[in-house]
Amino acid sequence: KSEQLDEFDRIRQHEHAHHFGYRLMYDLRNYCSHCGLPPIKVSAVHRRGYAPRFNLELDPRTLLEWKRWNAATKKTLELLNEPFAVIPRVAEYMDCLHRVESASRRLIAPGVSRSCKEIIDAAGQVDGDLYPALLEMDVDDANVVRTMVPIPLPVGLATMMLEQADADSNAMN
């Protein structure tokens, strides 16, 4: 198992341990696979001149009829005495996913940067068609691409480099 995968698991487990929204959405996927959609109470408020506001609620007592909840999710559901709003939990889940995704980008940025440098080195040694190539990523912020320019790169080498990048990405799965 790679250090990157261990770190990814640690980050994901942290979100699961500290955010009910993450646990709930994670476990609801399993619930839906076995039981179908949970009963959702939908209400709406609409005032003239304003967009309608919808509220979706889940009743923890109904959810707890299913016996296969993760222990931490089950404990939280048991503490809830009345239906709770789903939309804030979805928003919390999306925030968690953003943190996991950002951390994943930081984890793979050094490998992507090394791959890019290998492409640059290889491109200087061969003649071929022009292909756009990512030259460098900011290691501190994987969302930042520092440079992208066309470089000569034969199709075979481009394919080989792409396969290596895919292998690097798959190592995290």
Side-chain angles (χ1 to χ4, degrees):
K1 203 170 169 185
S2 74
E3 288 180 29
Q4 288 175 325
L5 187 55
D6 288 342
E7 180 64 11
F8 174 78
D9 284 343
R10 188 196 64 71
I11 293 162
R12 189 185 50 74
Q13 289 166 359
H14 174 83
E15 296 297 329
H16 192 277
H18 292 90
H19 300 281
F20 175 57
Y22 187 93
R23 285 192 307 276
L24 178 67
M25 295 301 135
Y26 188 88
D27 289 348
L28 269 177
R29 182 209 54 82
N30 206 18
Y31 176 98
C32 291
S33 294
H34 295 282
C35 304
L37 289 175
I40 299 173
K41 178 184 172 190
V42 180
S43 59
V45 175
H46 185 266
R47 294 187 337 201
R48 187 185 305 251
Y50 294 93
R53 289 187 2 201
F54 293 93
N55 191 32
L56 298 119
E57 294 181 335
L58 291 172
D59 188 332
R61 295 164 295 206
T62 305
L63 294 174
L64 284 167
E65 291 173 8
W66 188 54
K67 303 300 181 203
R68 295 176 61 190
W69 291 102
N70 167 284
T73 306
K74 180 180 178 185
K75 183 177 179 179
T76 305
L77 288 171
E78 289 171 341
L79 294 172
L80 299 170
N81 295 323
E82 55 190 45
F84 61 93
V86 175
I87 293 175
R89 301 290 72 85
V90 171
E92 180 182 21
Y93 179 63
M94 296 305 292
D95 289 343
C96 292
L97 290 180
H98 176 73
R99 286 190 295 273
V100 169
E101 187 267 342
S102 294
S104 297
R105 285 177 172 265
R106 284 192 302 276
L107 287 171
I108 66 169
V112 170
S113 186
R114 280 191 303 277
S115 294
C116 292
K117 288 178 177 134
E118 289 176 22
I119 290 172
I120 294 166
D121 292 343
Q125 300 170 16
V126 296
D127 292 324
D129 295 330
L130 294 178
Y131 293 89
L134 176 69
L135 295 183
E136 186 176 2
M137 289 181 72
D138 188 320
V139 175
D140 295 322
D141 183 357
N143 293 308
V144 176
V145 175
R146 290 194 178 163
T147 314
M148 185 179 284
V149 297
I151 59 172
L153 193 61
V155 175
L157 185 56
T159 303
M160 179 187 76
M161 296 307 294
L162 216 77
E163 288 170 353
Q164 180 61 47
D166 287 343
D168 291 348
S169 295
N170 289 334
M172 292 202 48
N173 295 333

